[in-house]
Amino acid sequence: MKNFQFYNPVRILFGKGQIAALTARIPAGAKVLITYGGGSIKQNGVYDQVKAALAGFETVEFGGIEANPHYETLMRAVELGRAEQVTFLLAVGGGSVLDGTKFIAAAIPFEGAEPWDILARKAKVARAVPFGSVLTLPATGSEMNSGAVITRVATQEKLAFSSPLTFPQFSVLDPETCFTLPPRQIANGIADAFTHVLEQYLTYPINTPLQDRLAEAVLLTLIEEGPKVLANPTDYDAMANFMWSATNALNGTLAAGVVTDWSTHYVAHELTALHGIDHARTLAIVLPPMLRYRQAGKLEKLVQYGQRVWNISQGTDEERAEAAVQATVAFFEQLGIKTRLADYEVGAETIGHIVRRFTERGVKDLGERQDLQVADVEKILTLAL
Amino acid sequence: MKNFQFYNPVRILFGKGQIAALTARIPAGAKVLITYGGGSIKQNGVYDQVKAALAGFETVEFGGIEANPHYETLMRAVELGRAEQVTFLLAVGGGSVLDGTKFIAAAIPFEGAEPWDILARKAKVARAVPFGSVLTLPATGSEMNSGAVITRVATQEKLAFSSPLTFPQFSVLDPETCFTLPPRQIANGIADAFTHVLEQYLTYPINTPLQDRLAEAVLLTLIEEGPKVLANPTDYDAMANFMWSATNALNGTLAAGVVTDWSTHYVAHELTALHGIDHARTLAIVLPPMLRYRQAGKLEKLVQYGQRVWNISQGTDEERAEAAVQATVAFFEQLGIKTRLADYEVGAETIGHIVRRFTERGVKDLGERQDLQVADVEKILTLAL
């Protein structure tokens, strides 16, 4: 096991009716900026519940945070938050609203030249406005971690940051808020959470049997409960199990003491930045060729994954590893997620574009062995055509 | 799934050499009370490492905290802490030192009549001295939760408390600090952690597949790694896996959203209070008859436990449940832990004593269905003779 630090102070308020519990978690007298997305919360009753819970607070609102939240949009929220001198933020939405709100929280008190530096230059987050969240879409795990990914439209860049100051103070997870989610978003959430686990699990063994089994626990539950949620989004227990699995997929527990990869995410972000493809779908495109191209380096864990998650026990190690990848592809397809670039009308010219961007940005040594180069990324994306 | 709150702000510093990392986690200028047990830390080098890490702080020491820490002992530490006006506590030891230090932390600023009320009358903990820990014995999970169990010798009572203010600020888990543990303490630690999981898992199903699998992950790892640690306590990886499993067994994750029992602990505490039997051994005595007596109410989970943890797939449900209990007993015995009252020279008269104490204390409605009465406890303990 590797040495590690684990720290996660997020308070989870889980279950039906828990939006009302957030009242007690916001400091008395706070001026609250409510952030949200496209407005679905106004149709499904979540907005009304949030407003009722905030009845005792002065509030300001900022809606319209889009998927893969845009720096340009978020900076308007930062201006609003500064002008209104808000003292607390409440994100109401999915991972994009949460990620965007983390950035707003860090950017409002930011004293550097421009808050983009937090992403592009890893400028230190010295202060942040405290915030909480009401999660309405299980997927990213953002509700119980300190990380965020932000897209700048002007430059087609999608970059990540995290800070000990950008953990939510609390996150409300009420499965009932997810009952009206469209199938596409549910499928994306399942695939996103599933890939989060694989990025932390499918590397190479360093004798961490507990972490391996915890990861497999999340994978097996997503495989079991995900299709139930898709078939019946108002199945409370199935939605609750999916929701809690997605949170556990990326709250730090699975990464503690193990070797992690994250190169699938790193490459997939480019496809969203360049083509606007849903984040989860870009993962489903990049992951299979990534695992196939790197089969040798990941062989032991691929075999274990095949055995314990997909009951694959026949054949050579290489055959089992390939069967495990095939099972993963079949799972994505079962969710209604296509896994080839061609399915999204993306051709080889994009690969050249990504290669140029990585070369310019000086990207190298990706992956758990820090041995993945831009030339490898080119071959992997070619396998995804 | 049940509604739940999850909150655990303990920072874990895990791995070899991590004692040095605690320096940065204690406020500058703090006056630190170091608490410890029988002095083994002075033989195995842990004390020297802790003193080196605290070189920049004024320190006071209180040693001699015994197993099943005594209220009488701890009150002397409270007096010392008050007299010396300490501002931070550092527990260095196992669960008893940690539990004792949680009580000291709460008792120093306690303004009620006497701090025993925190335990006996559930007096509110309004303030607590902040504290951290260096764990030297994997077992109780106290390093990553807010609970403590304290024994009062004068009245032979063993009572629990917890408070949001008694989470450690940090806990150092360095497996190397455990290399000199005697086999008896290692065995006790394995059995203690194992029983912690079962108290949260072996109840009745309410559709919580993730939590079930997380619990099984800890159980399987304890079964796999525990004997390795016993056979070779200087096997770093095995000790690390055992240590992190014991922490995960009782950090709140497994209890989130499920139904829990804890009646085995409640009854077993009496055997320690009356006879001084090691805590883990009292659990190993009480658990098997508890599971057998309540087989009907726990049948579905007992069958699942047998199947997934012990590969028991033959026979009727009742036969499988019994086989699962037998496997559990065999595991305890494999660790060198006897499971009958007679093995500890405790006879039937103790059962009457416990029944009288429970009756006087008004104990009733124990267990996950709140249906276990004192008369049932009597029958269960009779099965343990």
Side-chain angles (χ1 to χ4, degrees):
Chain A
M1 199 185 302
K2 287 174 64 181
N3 281 9
F4 66 87
Q5 272 203 31
F6 179 86
Y7 175 64
N8 193 322
V10 181
R11 183 183 302 269
I12 298 293
L13 308 168
F14 194 102
K16 54 185 83 174
Q18 290 296 296
I19 291 175
L22 68 81
T23 313
R25 292 290 151 201
I26 299 179
K31 184 170 181 180
V32 181
L33 174 60
I34 307 170
T35 54
Y36 57 94
S40 63
I41 61 165
K42 294 200 174 169
Q43 277 118 53
N44 63 13
V46 171
Y47 178 83
D48 293 336
Q49 289 184 65
V50 168
K51 287 294 280 187
L54 292 176
F57 298 92
E58 192 180 351
T59 60
V60 189
E61 296 183 20
F62 184 87
I65 298 176
E66 57 282 286
N68 307 300
H70 296 170
Y71 176 70
E72 292 83 351
T73 304
L74 301 173
M75 282 308 294
R76 290 192 287 112
V78 170
E79 284 164 29
L80 177 67
R82 287 173 173 169
E84 294 283 347
Q85 299 186 294
V86 300
T87 61
F88 200 91
L89 313 181
L90 182 65
V92 185
S96 294
V97 174
L98 265 80
D99 279 16
T101 302
K102 288 175 183 176
F103 180 74
I104 297 165
I108 286 177
F110 186 73
E111 291 178 347
E114 72 156 344
W116 182 248
D117 289 348
I118 295 169
L119 293 148
R121 299 176 181 228
K122 304 287 170 198
K124 186 175 167 64
V125 175
R127 287 182 294 146
V129 181
F131 65 98
S133 85
V134 176
L135 182 69
T136 61
L137 171 54
T140 72
S142 188
E143 66 278 8
M144 201 178 176
N145 65 44
S146 60
V149 184
I150 308 296
T151 297
R152 189 167 195 169
V153 178
T155 55
Q156 288 187 307
E157 288 173 287
K158 186 172 179 180
L159 299 175
F161 86 103
S162 74
S163 158
L165 299 176
T166 51
F167 282 106
Q169 306 269 306
F170 62 83
S171 286
V172 175
L173 279 64
D174 178 349
E176 292 188 334
T177 65
C178 309
F179 282 0
T180 53
L181 283 172
R184 177 190 178 112
Q185 292 200 355
I186 294 172
N188 284 351
I190 297 164
D192 193 21
F194 198 84
T195 308
H196 287 160
V197 181
L198 291 186
E199 292 266 37
Q200 300 166 88
Y201 167 76
L202 277 181
T203 58
Y204 55 86
I206 57 164
N207 200 348
T208 54
L210 178 63
Q211 292 91 324
D212 285 5
R213 291 191 176 102
L214 298 178
E216 291 152 5
V218 179
L219 295 172
L220 288 163
T221 308
L222 287 169
I223 291 167
E224 178 182 270
E225 302 293 308
K228 289 186 202 169
V229 177
L230 262 183
N232 182 6
T234 61
D235 177 339
Y236 181 86
D237 276 342
M239 186 65 83
N241 291 327
F242 164 39
M243 198 169 203
W244 191 223
S245 294
T247 301
N248 277 267
L250 200 54
N251 68 359
T253 310
L254 304 184
V258 307
V259 181
T260 61
D261 184 347
W262 294 111
S263 53
T264 291
H265 270 72
Y266 196 87
V267 176
H269 281 175
E270 297 300 309
L271 294 172
T272 300
L274 293 173
H275 295 282
I277 303 168
D278 294 355
H279 170 60
R281 286 161 202 256
T282 66
L283 299 173
I285 294 165
V286 176
L287 180 67
M290 184 70 80
L291 297 178
R292 285 177 168 133
Y293 183 82
R294 297 163 70 194
Q295 191 199 67
K298 292 177 180 291
L299 191 61
E300 287 162 285
K301 293 302 277 287
L302 278 166
V303 169
Q304 178 178 319
Y305 166 60
Q307 174 76 58
R308 295 195 190 174
V309 175
W310 297 110
N311 284 315
I312 295 165
S313 55
Q314 302 293 317
T316 65
D317 282 357
E318 288 74 13
E319 287 164 351
R320 291 170 178 221
E322 171 57 23
V325 177
Q326 286 175 15
T328 309
V329 171
F331 180 57
F332 289 146
E333 303 268 356
Q334 179 196 354
L335 299 174
I337 295 177
K338 302 286 188 186
T339 59
R340 313 290 309 201
L341 283 169
D343 297 321
Y344 301 87
E345 294 170 15
V346 172
E349 67 285 358
T350 287
I351 299 174
H353 196 159
I354 292 172
V355 165
R356 279 194 300 280
R357 286 163 68 106
F358 279 9
T359 305
E360 284 164 19
R361 217 186 283 160
V363 172
K364 60 174 187 172
D365 305 338
L366 294 172
E368 67 268 21
R369 297 180 199 268
Q370 294 87 47
D371 61 355
L372 197 69
Q373 309 301 336
V374 175
D376 300 303
V377 171
E378 184 170 13
K379 290 173 188 158
I380 288 162
L381 285 172
T382 303
L383 291 173
L385 282 170
Chain B
M1 199 185 304
K2 286 173 64 180
N3 280 9
F4 66 87
Q5 272 202 30
F6 179 87
Y7 175 65
N8 192 321
V10 181
R11 184 183 301 270
I12 298 293
L13 307 168
F14 193 102
K16 54 184 81 174
Q18 290 295 296
I19 290 175
L22 68 81
T23 312
R25 292 290 152 203
I26 299 178
K31 183 170 182 180
V32 181
L33 173 61
I34 307 170
T35 55
Y36 57 96
S40 62
I41 62 166
K42 294 199 175 170
Q43 277 119 53
N44 63 13
V46 171
Y47 177 83
D48 292 337
Q49 289 184 65
V50 167
K51 288 294 280 187
L54 292 176
F57 298 91
E58 191 179 352
T59 60
V60 189
E61 296 183 21
F62 184 87
I65 298 176
E66 57 281 284
N68 307 300
H70 296 170
Y71 175 69
E72 291 83 351
T73 304
L74 301 173
M75 283 307 294
R76 290 192 287 110
V78 170
E79 285 164 28
L80 177 67
R82 286 173 174 169
E84 294 283 348
Q85 298 186 293
V86 301
T87 61
F88 200 91
L89 313 181
L90 182 65
V92 184
S96 294
V97 175
L98 265 82
D99 279 16
T101 303
K102 288 175 183 176
F103 180 75
I104 297 165
I108 286 177
F110 186 73
E111 291 180 346
E114 72 156 344
W116 182 248
D117 290 348
I118 294 169
L119 294 148
R121 298 176 184 231
K122 305 287 171 198
K124 185 175 168 60
V125 176
R127 287 182 297 146
V129 181
F131 66 98
S133 85
V134 176
L135 182 70
T136 62
L137 171 54
T140 72
S142 189
E143 65 278 9
M144 201 177 176
N145 65 43
S146 60
V149 183
I150 308 297
T151 297
R152 189 167 196 169
V153 178
T155 54
Q156 287 186 307
E157 288 173 288
K158 186 172 179 181
L159 299 175
F161 85 103
S162 75
S163 157
L165 299 176
T166 51
F167 281 108
Q169 306 268 308
F170 62 82
S171 286
V172 175
L173 279 65
D174 178 350
E176 292 189 336
T177 64
C178 309
F179 281 1
T180 53
L181 283 172
R184 176 189 178 112
Q185 291 199 356
I186 293 172
N188 283 351
I190 298 164
D192 193 20
F194 198 84
T195 309
H196 287 160
V197 181
L198 292 186
E199 292 266 37
Q200 299 166 91
Y201 167 76
L202 277 181
T203 57
Y204 56 86
I206 56 163
N207 199 348
T208 55
L210 178 63
Q211 291 92 323
D212 285 6
R213 290 190 177 103
L214 298 178
E216 291 152 5
V218 179
L219 295 171
L220 287 163
T221 308
L222 288 169
I223 291 167
E224 178 183 88
E225 302 294 308
K228 290 186 201 169
V229 177
L230 262 183
N232 182 7
T234 61
D235 177 340
Y236 181 86
D237 276 341
M239 187 64 84
N241 291 327
F242 164 38
M243 197 169 205
W244 190 224
S245 294
T247 301
N248 277 267
L250 200 55
N251 68 359
T253 310
L254 304 185
V258 307
V259 180
T260 62
D261 183 346
W262 295 111
S263 54
T264 291
H265 271 72
Y266 197 87
V267 176
H269 281 176
E270 298 299 309
L271 294 172
T272 301
L274 293 172
H275 294 282
I277 303 169
D278 294 354
H279 170 61
R281 286 160 202 258
T282 64
L283 299 174
I285 294 165
V286 175
L287 181 68
M290 183 71 79
L291 297 178
R292 285 177 168 133
Y293 183 81
R294 296 165 70 195
Q295 192 199 67
K298 292 177 180 290
L299 190 61
E300 288 162 285
K301 292 302 277 285
L302 278 166
V303 169
Q304 179 179 318
Y305 167 60
Q307 174 77 57
R308 296 196 190 173
V309 175
W310 297 110
N311 284 315
I312 295 165
S313 55
Q314 302 294 317
T316 64
D317 283 357
E318 288 74 13
E319 287 165 353
R320 292 171 177 220
E322 171 56 23
V325 176
Q326 286 175 16
T328 309
V329 171
F331 180 57
F332 290 146
E333 302 268 356
Q334 179 195 356
L335 299 174
I337 295 178
K338 301 286 190 187
T339 59
R340 314 291 307 202
L341 282 169
D343 297 320
Y344 301 87
E345 294 170 14
V346 172
E349 66 286 357
T350 287
I351 299 174
H353 196 158
I354 291 172
V355 165
R356 278 194 302 281
R357 286 164 68 107
F358 279 8
T359 305
E360 285 164 20
R361 217 184 283 161
V363 171
K364 59 174 189 173
D365 306 338
L366 293 172
E368 67 269 20
R369 296 179 199 269
Q370 294 87 48
D371 61 354
L372 197 69
Q373 309 300 337
V374 175
D376 300 303
V377 172
E378 183 169 15
K379 289 173 188 159
I380 288 162
L381 285 171
T382 303
L383 291 172
L385 282 170

